[in-house]
Amino acid sequence: MKNIVFFVIAVIVFVSCGQSYEEQQRISKAERARLAKEDSAALKIGVLPTIDCLPLYVAKERRFFDTLGVDIRLKPYTSQIDCDDALLKGRIEGSVTDLVKGEWMKKKGLELRYATATQARWQFVTNRLSRVSELKQLNDKMVAMARFSATHLLAEMCVDSAKLQRDNVYLVQINDPNICLKMLHNNEIDAMLLPEPQATEARLWKHPVLMDTEKRDIRLGVVAFRENGLRSKERQRQYAAFLKAYNVAVDSINKFGISAYAPIVKKYMKAEAQTISKLPKINFTHTAQPREKDLNRARNWLK
């Protein structure tokens, strides 16, 4: 009798577990569909582990987007080429990028809207062990850059300013700034264009800086959106809220300083406390269109 009772209980447990699993699968599938629908409806912006993205990260972490009643989602990428590729393929509506890549994408037929210029800044950093203290010493050296981007333009600009033959300097495509930095530390590359905060870490390691776009008054950073991703009324509302939240974040950063947002910089840019404390003073600006001279620089280089 006991054996029969145990058998019946075992069958009941087995059947109930099976039903529970099937129910879980059904719920899980429905949940995935719901999340996919919400993500599709959200305004998605590709971001990078660089300081020019700080206003977006602050707007997210301080819930400025939520306060304005819009669903804006940041999609992190480690390299600009992956971020821009997502924009080209329509997986995201906007991207933190640069004018060279933006104008290149336009030439490929993508209709783009520049929402704002950013505080992107690049420094031409050389490996301290390569003994390159002047640009004219770049012959037979390897320089990391991302093709058809600001770093590509800036690398060639440095080579040209030193009156060197471009064929004598090896431009190597490395798209991830943190990988570039590791290669610099490991003595695997001679020079590169680094944004912040990676440039500050390189300086702390005593790697020389031979060119600074800030000192050259070159401003190539932008946030760009696909025009066909902004056509609906809801997208226009989200876009307007993005611009407003961006400006609120800028005001907050300028008021309290980057150090007040050190946890955000560490979280998204993988920068250590020492690096964050040594970042240069950056005056973030409200949304504004890129300057004509910067647009012309990018367009002329792409011809």
Side-chain angles (χ1 to χ4, degrees):
M1 185 67 181
K2 286 183 179 180
N3 289 338
I4 295 174
V5 171
F6 287 136
F7 175 76
V8 171
I9 292 173
V11 169
I12 292 172
V13 170
F14 177 79
V15 171
S16 64
C17 287
Q19 289 173 337
S20 175
Y21 177 75
E22 290 173 0
E23 181 68 14
Q24 282 183 342
Q25 289 295 94
R26 186 185 66 79
I27 293 172
S28 178
K29 184 177 180 180
E31 180 68 8
R32 289 197 300 271
R34 181 185 67 81
L35 292 174
K37 184 177 180 181
E38 288 181 358
D39 192 65
S40 178
L43 185 73
K44 298 170 288 297
I45 305 171
V47 288
L48 299 164
T50 52
I51 207 69
D52 50 319
C53 295
L54 186 57
L56 287 83
Y57 290 130
V58 169
K60 170 183 168 61
E61 292 289 324
R62 293 296 182 263
R63 303 183 69 85
F64 297 156
F65 297 138
D66 297 340
T67 300
L68 293 170
V70 291
D71 189 354
I72 295 177
R73 304 185 181 189
L74 305 184
K75 300 293 183 178
Y77 295 89
T78 58
S79 72
Q80 183 175 332
I81 192 169
D82 291 336
C83 193
D84 292 332
D85 187 58
L87 187 67
L88 272 169
K89 293 180 178 177
R91 293 196 293 265
I92 54 179
E93 286 71 50
S95 170
V96 176
T97 184
D98 63 63
L99 287 173
V100 178
K101 199 57 179 282
E103 293 301 302
W104 180 83
M105 286 188 282
K106 285 184 179 181
K107 288 171 74 73
K108 292 292 182 181
L110 184 65
E111 291 184 56
L112 278 184
R113 178 189 307 185
Y114 295 130
T116 182
T118 69
Q119 273 58 61
R121 170 185 183 178
W122 290 270
Q123 293 187 337
F124 190 90
V125 180
T126 61
N127 189 326
R128 59 189 175 87
L129 298 180
S130 68
R131 299 180 181 178
V132 176
S133 58
E134 298 178 87
L135 292 175
K136 65 183 181 181
Q137 296 173 318
L138 286 173
N139 270 333
D140 297 323
K141 301 299 182 182
M142 293 188 297
V143 180
M145 54 88 222
R147 291 183 71 242
F148 301 115
S149 75
T151 57
H152 194 172
L153 179 155
L154 294 168
E156 289 194 349
M157 184 187 80
C158 289
V159 172
D160 293 344
S161 67
K163 296 181 171 54
L164 300 175
Q165 294 293 321
R166 290 184 182 179
D167 290 344
N168 293 338
V169 181
Y170 305 107
L171 301 186
V172 182
Q173 175 152 321
I174 304 172
N175 302 300
D176 186 324
N178 285 321
I179 289 178
C180 279
L181 192 60
K182 287 179 182 178
M183 292 181 71
L184 187 68
H185 292 339
N186 293 333
N187 195 30
E188 297 172 329
I189 196 82
D190 298 305
M192 60 190 59
L193 276 301
L194 284 177
E196 294 291 0
Q198 291 81 11
T200 291
E201 183 174 332
R203 293 195 304 274
L204 290 174
W205 281 65
K206 307 301 182 184
H207 296 294
V209 175
L210 304 189
M211 190 279 294
D212 186 337
T213 56
E214 183 75 10
K215 294 178 181 178
R216 296 284 188 98
D217 192 32
I218 300 172
R219 303 176 190 173
L220 297 174
V222 287
V223 181
F225 284 83
R226 293 166 38 245
E227 284 287 1
N228 64 5
L230 299 174
R231 286 176 180 162
S232 72
K233 288 185 178 180
E234 178 58 18
R235 282 286 190 248
Q236 291 171 22
R237 187 178 78 88
Q238 292 170 330
Y239 179 75
F242 163 75
L243 298 178
K244 186 174 182 179
Y246 186 97
N247 288 338
V248 172
V250 161
D251 289 339
S252 184
I253 298 168
N254 288 340
K255 179 178 180 180
F256 298 108
I258 293 177
S259 59
Y261 293 106
I264 294 177
V265 176
K266 182 176 182 179
K267 177 180 178 179
Y268 291 102
M269 304 172 207
K270 311 304 180 188
E272 297 301 326
Q274 183 182 14
T275 299
I276 298 170
S277 68
K278 296 296 184 180
L279 284 169
K281 181 176 175 55
I282 300 173
N283 180 43
F284 288 87
T285 58
H286 280 187
T287 55
Q289 287 300 295
R291 302 178 305 181
E292 197 64 29
K293 68 177 184 179
D294 296 312
L295 276 166
N296 289 335
R297 183 186 294 272
R299 289 166 179 165
N300 291 335
W301 182 81
L302 284 167
K303 288 182 179 177

